[in-house]
Amino acid sequence: MNMKQYIITAAAAAIFLHGSVLAAEDFSDSFDAPQLSSAWTVHEGEWIVRDGELINEDGGLITLNAPRGDRFALDMRIYLPNKWLSVIFALTEPHNYDTVYFLANGYWETFTMNGQSVDNYIQHRDADITTGVYHDVRIVYDYGHVTVYFDGTLKGHATHFHRPGAAIGFRTLKGSGIVKIEHVNMETIDAPPVQIISAIAPQAFANAKIY
């Protein structure tokens, strides 16, 4: 399959998998209010607003009520906890979601959580993923294609199509330590999807692997 055929096939697959295009509802929260906005739903743990930040100290799940659409960019400034943090870009239920997962000691992952099983798993080694400090994180979701930026640098693409979902959110596990989020911005993207589709080599879809 040549690249032109691949792009057409991938674009058709995206439309087949995701159906009609849903528009994201642009959203921004800098957590300036004295308490958590009604735009958020807490499912697990304690999430509070303190000193202009969304804070969790011992694990939990929180989701945003605004529709996330089929093409959107999610920008955040996050103080990464000592162990684990999921930035969920497609959640259908609390234990069914697709995520970018940041780990201590320089790793980031993408995967699909289905109850207790993990699918489409891929892990990247990256020394820039440091905990206990603030980072600017950008995740672009485009018809199932996911692109990750970290402190303004393109880090890579998920090598699998990721399903659509009803919400975005954050999950951290007990014992992970404190996570602090200074702001969250979600906006519709207008760039042609081919820019992301063509950036992923066809052979990358064969098997998940560690980079």
Side-chain angles (χ1 to χ4, degrees), residues 18-211:
H18 299 281
S20 60
V21 178
L22 298 177
E25 179 179 306
D26 289 357
F27 173 86
S28 181
D29 196 342
S30 297
F31 305 107
D32 296 323
Q35 58 188 359
L36 190 63
S37 163
S38 60
W40 298 92
T41 296
V42 175
H43 300 268
E44 301 168 2
E46 183 179 13
W47 297 81
I48 62 171
V49 172
R50 186 171 67 218
D51 299 327
E53 296 177 314
L54 175 62
I55 294 174
N56 177 279
E57 297 185 342
D58 195 27
L61 169 66
I62 189 170
T63 58
L64 177 64
N65 299 326
R68 31 128 284 169
D70 285 328
R71 306 189 70 214
F72 66 93
L74 187 62
D75 290 281
M76 305 142 285
R77 184 162 176 80
I78 302 175
Y79 179 95
L80 290 182
N82 293 332
K83 292 185 179 178
W84 309 283
L85 176 68
S86 276
V87 179
I88 297 169
F89 53 82
L91 179 141
T92 53
E93 297 177 354
H95 296 285
N96 289 276
Y97 56 84
D98 292 54
T99 184
V100 177
Y101 197 60
F102 296 102
L103 292 86
N105 302 319
Y107 291 92
W108 65 275
E109 305 171 344
T110 54
F111 60 82
T112 298
M113 178 65 73
N114 288 306
Q116 297 301 312
S117 66
V118 175
D119 302 315
N120 300 333
Y121 173 85
I122 186 165
Q123 184 183 81
H124 304 257
R125 296 186 179 95
D126 195 321
D128 292 338
I129 309 300
T130 54
T131 59
V133 292
Y134 287 93
H135 295 285
D136 293 312
V137 178
R138 178 177 176 86
I139 297 172
V140 177
Y141 180 95
D142 196 353
Y143 298 130
H145 294 278
V146 176
T147 306
V148 178
Y149 299 83
F150 200 78
D151 289 330
T153 299
L154 172 62
K155 288 301 182 181
H157 309 272
T159 55
H160 297 269
F161 285 105
H162 281 273
R163 61 191 174 184
I168 66 100
F170 302 94
R171 169 168 250 152
T172 180
L173 302 179
K174 282 188 175 294
S176 293
I178 188 170
V179 56
K180 296 184 282 187
I181 303 171
E182 284 192 352
H183 66 256
V184 176
N185 297 304
M186 182 175 66
E187 61 182 2
T188 303
I189 56 174
D190 298 319
V194 167
Q195 292 183 4
I196 291 179
I197 294 173
S198 61
I200 307 175
Q203 60 268 28
F205 289 92
N207 294 293
K209 55 185 176 180
I210 297 176
Y211 286 97

